[in-house]
């Protein structure tokens, strides 16, 4: 496991003895913080020129029933100007699980705090709307606590459904020209992608206040992962961002590999990079295709979906599945690459650009599209960072943060590619960033193919991690025992914790993994890139028309499986 | 009448023929399966070839609800409400393991199969089902509609025979 040195920051000297304790031997700088100093420390970490932790990546709870201080709230911070990471852990007792809300420091905390309340019952003092976020209104208890039975359900009846009634802060004023009207959209509405619910208060055609309700696809990924072995979690990761399942596989497997201290063989790394880029192309195709169909440009939907079918063919050849691939294994890949892998990739490189350029010609300078998208739902880079944005949406707002460049993994430090950045931060720029990234992804794949497939195996040669070949398991005693142990007990991951990140199709996809050495994950927290984006949706909608809101949601590329897990 | 020739049939059969060849699906898509559903309606697989021509997002205009994706307890009341809003006759296709049985989410927030709250006509297994799988499912539904009409006709005939003999 990689260890990081603790930066000796001068600001720590001002705090009372024992209120901020650096942890030795962690994967990234980690401090244990007493809650009394949390607000002050957070503000200082953000504003001190020597720290500048401007991005709040993730906040989650962890439950340790055996400890005196049962809960731990864990913050993951990132400093864009300095490229540094920091983890803050705040221990809390069961009797008094209360923390100050940090919304004023990082707006991103809003939904993260609601989630921690929902899942663990950690209360955040000063939060304006500390309601359940992911579970429903009739739910009792806090499901991610260790003493909650994973299969204990509560039934929601129609009379208990929450009915939001958003009102603008000023109330009814004389400036209103039209009568106010509250309109409900979703959760089963095509423009809400089937799973979100928006209640908007309209003044004429303008949205003056809105409330977003999610949780309609909360499938309990994190609880499920605690009840399965390390390998069995891989299929669950597919179903997070199901438009680019392969990237989720890579992110998760990389995390576990780092905990185990193993390196996948060069061929696996090579194939992972190529397939990740193809997945990114697919994801961008879905996002841009659905944005365009939501704004009425149906033709492009057909054009954008055809490259997907072609890439599906490649994935199907690699693993047998189209959408939910589970093609990675801890330590490498599921199986040997198909013999025509390179030929298929080259063929895709030939066919995909035609579809992309068709859409480009139809849309990029299209008057109707420009009217619908330029200046719509614009956000400044600074605000986007404060709200926790990453990925294409952040790059559309002028901030060039890409995990592949800032913290290269796999083969990204050996290929030549650019990070497209636009300045407007509006719907049109989000579309253009994705189009430009498709070009870059194609270029990365081309470079890797030119290098040729590395020799060697597709998975590490370690019987404690990789299943022995089937023929050996049938003919050799030792291989059969290894096979049996791996299937029945799973991989034994040593105790430890780690935050591992990749650039998902939609931003920084992080896995915060805690192992207690028991053969199953103790806690897995996904840092979903679209979570902060969706949390901002209400702010982006307000002041625009309803049709703008629909165009905005498509461009944010919010995937419910990942958002709600 | 077609040109100069005549076609004779019963009203029931004509109704069945119409229903069977012009099913308007309501996609109740929530998750991964919805993405595969999109593949089935797009150019490559093109579900329209089988009469599932017009995808309607309004329950009041559709005949068959295709539930594609995990249904959580939070979504349950909405699903039920939308099913109730569909006019008769109506059918339900449960697409994918989650909609059929909760799939591998045996969890605190996931409905263990939509048949807890709505009747299901065709279950399509898979996680997600392949487009071919879904197409097989919708063809099975057509078979079912045919079968049901025949059964109904038979029952009607038996009823009229019964009443005839009773009168005698």
């Amino acid at each position: 496991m990689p260890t990081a040195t603790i930066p000796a920051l001068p600001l720590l000297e001002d705090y009372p003895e024992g209120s901020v304790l650096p942890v030795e031997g962690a994967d990234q700088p980690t401090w244990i913080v007493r809650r009394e100093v949390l607000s002050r420390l957070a503000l200082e970490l953000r504003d001190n020129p020597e720290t500048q932790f401007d991005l709040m990546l993730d906040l989650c709870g962890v439950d340790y029933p055996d400890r005196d201080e049962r809960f731990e709230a864990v913050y993951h911070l990132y400093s864009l100007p300095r490229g540094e990471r920091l983890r803050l852990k705040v221990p809390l007792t069961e009797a008094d699980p209360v923390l100050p809300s940090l919304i004023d420091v990082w707006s991103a905390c809003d939904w993260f705090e609601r989630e921690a309340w929902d899942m663990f019952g950690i209360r955040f003092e000063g939060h304006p709307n500390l309601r359940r976020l992911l579970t429903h209104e009739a739910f009792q208890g806090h499901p991610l606590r260790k003493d909650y039975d994973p299969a204990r359900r509560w039934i929601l009846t129609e009379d208990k459904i929450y009915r939001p009634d958003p009102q603008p802060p000023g109330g009814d004023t004389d400036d209103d020209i039209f009568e106010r009207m509250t309109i409900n959209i979703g959760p089963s509405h095509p423009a809400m992608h089937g799973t979100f619910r928006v209640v908007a208060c309209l003044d004429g055609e303008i949205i003056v206040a809105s409330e977003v309700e999610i949780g309609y696809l909360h499938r309990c990924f994190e609880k499920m992962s605690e009840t399965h072995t390390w390998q069995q979690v891989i299929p669950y990761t597919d179903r997070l961002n199901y438009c680019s399942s392969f990237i989720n596989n890579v992110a998760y497997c990389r995390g576990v590999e780092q905990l185990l201290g193993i390196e996948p063989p060069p061929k696996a790394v090579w194939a992972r990079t190529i397939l990740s880029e193809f997945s990114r192309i697919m994801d961008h195709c879905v996002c841009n295709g659905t944005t365009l169909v939501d704004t009425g440009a149906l033709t492009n939907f057909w054009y954008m979906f055809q490259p997907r079918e072609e890439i599906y063919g490649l994935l199907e050849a690699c693993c047998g599945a189209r959408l939910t691939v589970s093609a990675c294994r801890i330590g490498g890949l599921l199986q040997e690459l198909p013999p025509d892998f390179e030929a298929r990739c080259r063929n895709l490189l030939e066919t995909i650009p035609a579809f992309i350029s068709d859409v480009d010609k139809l849309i990029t300078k299209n008057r109707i599209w420009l009217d619908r998208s330029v200046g719509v739902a614009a956000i400044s880079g600074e605000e986007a960072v404060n709200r926790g944005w990453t990925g294409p949406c952040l790059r559309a707002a002028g901030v060039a943060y890409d995990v592949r460049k800032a913290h290269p993994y796999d083969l990204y430090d050996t290929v030549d590619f650019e990070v497209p950045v636009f300045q407007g931060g509006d719907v049109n720029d989000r579309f253009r960033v994705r189009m430009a990234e498709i070009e870059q992804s194609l270029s990365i794949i081309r470079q890797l193919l030119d290098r040729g497939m590395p020799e060697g195996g597709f998975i590490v040669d370690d019987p404690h991690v990789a299943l022995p070949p089937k023929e050996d398991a049938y003919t050799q005693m030792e291989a059969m025992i290894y096979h049996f142990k791996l299937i029945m007990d799973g991989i034994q991951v040593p105790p430890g914790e780690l935050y591992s990140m990749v650039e998902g199709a939609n931003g920084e996809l992080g896995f915060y993994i805690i192992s207690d050495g028991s053969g199953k994950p103790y806690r897995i927290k996904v840092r979903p890139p679209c979570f902060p984006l969706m949390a901002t949706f209400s702010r982006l909608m307000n002041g625009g028309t309803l049709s703008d809101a629909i165009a905005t949601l498509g461009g944010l590329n919010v995937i419910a499986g990942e958002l709600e897990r | 009448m077609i040109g100069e020739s005549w076609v004779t049939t019963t009203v029931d059969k004509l109704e069945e023929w119409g229903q069977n060849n012009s099913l308007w699906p309501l996609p109740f898509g929530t998750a991964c399966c919805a993405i595969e559903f999109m593949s089935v309606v797009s150019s490559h697989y093109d579900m329209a070839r089988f009469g599932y021509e017009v995808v309607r997002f309004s329950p009041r205009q559709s005949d068959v609800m295709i539930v594609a994706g995990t249904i959580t307890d939070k979504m349950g009341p909405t699903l039920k409400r939308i099913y109730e809003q569909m006019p008769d006759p109506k059918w339900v296709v449960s697409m994918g393991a989650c909609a059929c049985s909760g799939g591998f989410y045996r969890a605190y927030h996931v409905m263990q199969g939509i048949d807890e709250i709505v009747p299901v006509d065709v279950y399509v297994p898979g996680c997600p089902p392949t487009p071919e799988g879904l197409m097989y499912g919708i063809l099975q539904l057509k078979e079912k509609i045919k079968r049901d009409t025949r059964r109904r006709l038979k029952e009607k005939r038996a009823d009229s025979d019964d009443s005839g003999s009773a009168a005698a």
Side-chain angles (χ1 to χ4, degrees):
Chain A
M1 199 170 74
T3 54
T5 51
I6 311 296
L9 292 168
L11 64 91
L12 278 189
E13 289 164 9
D14 302 341
Y15 290 83
E17 184 79 25
S19 61
V20 184
L21 289 174
V23 180
E24 297 289 339
D27 62 306
Q28 69 183 56
T30 305
W31 296 350
I32 293 178
V33 181
R34 305 311 308 178
R35 66 174 173 188
E36 292 75 26
V37 297
L38 181 67
S39 300
R40 187 181 143 206
L41 180 71
L43 197 64
E44 198 161 350
L45 283 173
R46 187 192 70 181
D47 293 339
N48 191 319
E50 286 184 60
T51 49
Q52 296 185 51
F53 286 101
D54 44 2
L55 187 60
M56 210 294 297
L57 283 173
D58 187 47
L59 158 59
C60 68
V62 187
D63 182 12
Y64 299 98
D66 300 336
R67 293 191 186 170
D68 290 341
E69 291 177 306
R70 178 176 171 178
F71 300 112
E72 215 167 51
V74 185
Y75 294 80
H76 282 94
L77 308 179
Y78 185 69
S79 163
L80 285 169
R82 302 166 64 86
E84 279 174 3
R85 290 172 189 275
L86 180 65
R87 178 185 299 140
L88 302 180
K89 293 174 153 192
V90 190
L92 296 164
T93 57
E94 186 176 1
D96 185 26
V98 182
L99 270 181
S101 170
L102 295 183
I103 290 189
D104 296 336
V105 186
W106 297 288
S107 316
C109 288
D110 184 352
W111 276 19
F112 281 113
E113 288 177 355
R114 281 178 65 188
E115 187 191 329
W117 156 248
D118 194 357
M119 295 291 126
F120 288 92
I122 299 173
R123 280 205 313 283
F124 291 86
E125 245 164 30
H127 192 290
N129 182 24
L130 199 64
R131 283 194 309 112
R132 285 188 182 275
L133 181 72
L134 298 179
T135 57
H136 56 74
E137 296 78 5
F139 204 87
Q140 308 272 320
H142 301 284
L144 280 185
R145 289 187 176 187
K146 286 284 173 188
D147 48 15
Y148 191 94
D149 174 11
R152 176 75 177 92
R153 283 170 61 203
W154 302 86
I155 302 302
L156 176 67
T157 48
E158 203 155 323
D159 55 307
K160 292 205 185 105
I161 293 177
Y162 172 64
R163 296 180 201 285
D165 184 23
Q167 292 296 331
D172 237 333
T173 59
D174 294 340
D175 300 341
D176 291 345
I177 302 166
F178 300 102
E179 199 180 324
R180 289 260 168 84
M181 184 168 116
T182 303
I183 186 166
N184 176 80
I185 318 164
S188 179
H189 186 279
M192 290 293 125
H193 299 196
T195 39
F196 313 124
R197 178 166 168 222
V198 168
V199 179
C201 178
L202 295 167
D203 179 19
E205 282 208 53
I206 305 296
I207 301 173
V208 285
S210 56
E211 196 165 334
V212 178
E213 180 76 7
I214 65 166
Y216 295 96
L217 195 61
H218 174 52
R219 299 192 278 195
C220 331
F221 164 77
E222 284 160 17
K223 192 76 175 177
M224 288 293 98
S225 63
E226 290 169 18
T227 57
H228 289 74
T229 63
W230 291 92
Q231 300 108 307
Q232 284 173 335
V233 176
I234 296 173
Y236 284 100
T237 64
D238 279 336
R239 288 151 184 84
L240 291 169
N241 182 346
Y242 34 74
C243 294
S244 52
S245 313
F246 190 80
I247 301 183
N248 304 327
N249 289 175
V250 174
Y252 169 72
C253 290
R254 270 180 50 78
V256 182
E257 282 156 11
Q258 284 169 354
L259 270 176
L260 283 165
I262 55 172
E263 282 278 328
K267 189 198 255 178
V269 175
W270 179 80
R272 279 183 184 185
T273 318
I274 290 180
L275 291 176
S276 292
E277 288 312 307
F278 273 126
S279 301
R280 195 182 313 281
I281 294 173
M282 284 208 299
D283 196 286
H284 287 350
C285 283
V286 175
C287 173
N288 280 352
T290 47
T291 309
L292 291 168
V293 83
D294 285 351
T295 49
L298 183 66
T299 322
N300 303 279
F301 176 75
W302 312 129
Y303 286 175
M304 280 299 205
F305 262 63
Q306 199 50 37
R308 277 177 62 83
E309 285 296 333
E310 318 259 333
I311 299 172
Y312 277 159
L314 172 72
L315 288 171
E316 208 171 0
C318 290
C319 69
R322 286 154 48 87
L323 186 69
T324 45
V325 291
S326 295
C328 274
R329 287 293 177 274
I330 295 161
L333 295 173
L334 157 73
Q335 58 188 20
E336 189 58 70
L337 294 170
D340 58 348
F341 181 78
E342 284 173 282
R344 275 174 179 272
C345 292
R346 293 232 179 250
N347 186 29
L348 283 173
L349 289 181
E350 297 288 317
T351 50
I352 292 173
F355 293 105
I356 307 302
S357 99
D358 277 349
V359 174
D360 187 45
K361 281 180 211 151
L362 272 170
I363 292 298
T364 308
K365 289 181 184 159
N366 184 310
R367 190 71 251 161
I368 306 171
W369 164 251
L370 293 178
D371 285 347
R372 289 292 304 273
S373 65
V374 174
V376 170
I379 189 168
S380 70
E382 201 181 336
E383 190 188 347
V385 169
N386 192 261
R387 287 181 180 272
W389 287 30
T390 51
C393 295
L394 180 65
R395 296 194 280 274
V399 182
Y401 172 59
D402 186 323
V403 181
R404 293 174 293 171
K405 275 277 188 226
H407 305 277
Y409 57 96
D410 287 354
L411 294 176
Y412 289 110
D413 51 347
T414 66
V415 286
D416 186 25
F417 68 103
E418 281 169 23
V419 178
V421 176
F422 289 84
Q423 300 299 328
D426 55 12
V427 175
N428 186 36
D429 279 353
R430 284 173 213 143
F431 171 82
R432 289 199 292 168
V433 159
R434 292 205 170 85
M435 293 298 267
E437 282 188 9
I438 293 177
E439 299 282 323
Q440 293 301 321
S441 293
L442 290 170
S443 148
I444 293 173
I445 297 167
R446 196 169 291 118
Q447 292 173 46
L448 289 173
L449 285 176
D450 288 345
R451 222 175 271 174
M453 188 192 293
E455 296 291 317
F458 59 91
I459 194 162
V460 283
D461 189 18
D462 179 348
H464 298 284
V465 176
L467 286 174
K470 232 357 179 217
E471 54 270 29
D472 288 359
Y474 282 135
T475 53
Q476 296 171 15
M477 193 62 193
E478 200 180 29
M480 197 189 81
I481 293 170
Y482 278 129
H483 186 101
F484 181 80
K485 290 295 281 180
L486 269 182
I487 297 291
M488 300 308 287
D489 297 343
I491 294 175
Q492 300 302 310
V493 178
E497 61 174 17
L498 174 130
Y499 178 83
S500 143
M501 63 286 169
V502 302
E503 180 71 20
N506 206 11
E508 175 167 328
L509 172 66
F511 275 84
Y512 176 47
I513 302 173
I514 303 176
S515 167
D516 62 349
S518 69
K520 286 177 184 169
Y522 187 78
R523 170 99 168 93
I524 292 183
K525 171 68 170 60
V526 183
R527 192 269 162 189
C530 62
F531 193 80
L533 301 176
M534 194 62 187
T536 315
F537 184 45
S538 178
R539 133 85 180 82
L540 293 176
M541 263 191 300
N542 294 350
T545 62
L546 208 51
S547 55
D548 286 347
I550 305 298
T552 309
L553 182 64
L556 291 180
N557 194 12
V558 180
I559 306 290
E562 176 185 82
L563 176 76
E564 299 159 11
R565 285 150 281 141
Chain B
M1 197 176 77
I2 301 164
E4 288 299 304
S5 55
W6 290 83
V7 177
T8 58
T9 180
T10 61
V11 175
D12 284 301
K13 277 192 183 146
L14 183 71
E15 188 193 340
E16 179 242 293
W17 173 82
Q19 277 171 355
N20 215 349
N21 289 298
S22 163
L23 283 157
W24 289 12
L26 165 88
F28 197 97
T30 57
C32 341
C33 282
I35 305 284
E36 278 301 64
F37 178 81
M38 283 194 253
S39 291
V40 179
V41 291
S42 338
S43 2
H44 191 80
Y45 289 98
D46 195 10
M47 196 165 77
R49 291 178 292 159
F50 305 106
Y52 286 72
E53 175 64 61
V54 208
V55 174
R56 291 282 109 171
F57 289 98
S58 162
R60 305 202 191 277
Q61 299 168 351
S62 30
D63 312 300
V64 48
M65 176 159 74
I66 299 183
V67 182
T70 315
I71 301 299
T72 59
D73 287 331
K74 194 169 186 171
M75 191 60 120
T78 313
L79 177 75
K80 190 154 193 262
R81 167 73 75 92
I82 288 186
Y83 176 75
E84 282 162 1
Q85 284 174 345
M86 285 168 65
D88 278 324
K90 55 188 168 186
W91 296 273
V92 177
V93 174
S94 159
M95 176 185 179
C98 291
C100 295
S101 69
F104 69 176
Y105 295 101
R106 192 170 174 73
Y108 56 85
H109 201 246
V110 177
M111 190 168 284
Q112 302 296 304
I114 55 166
D115 45 14
E116 280 184 17
I117 49 168
V118 295
V120 177
D121 292 283
V122 177
Y123 295 88
V124 182
C127 189
T130 55
E132 293 85 352
L134 180 62
M135 287 194 307
Y136 182 71
I138 61 177
L139 292 177
Q140 287 293 306
L141 180 64
K142 286 165 81 107
E143 287 298 313
K144 184 174 179 184
I145 294 171
K146 243 186 241 171
R147 243 189 355 253
D148 283 357
T149 314
R150 280 188 207 136
R151 205 189 56 220
R152 217 172 54 231
L153 282 176
K154 218 180 204 173
E155 280 168 10
K156 214 183 255 179
R157 222 172 285 140
D159 277 355
S160 60
D161 286 355
D162 282 354
S163 53
S165 59

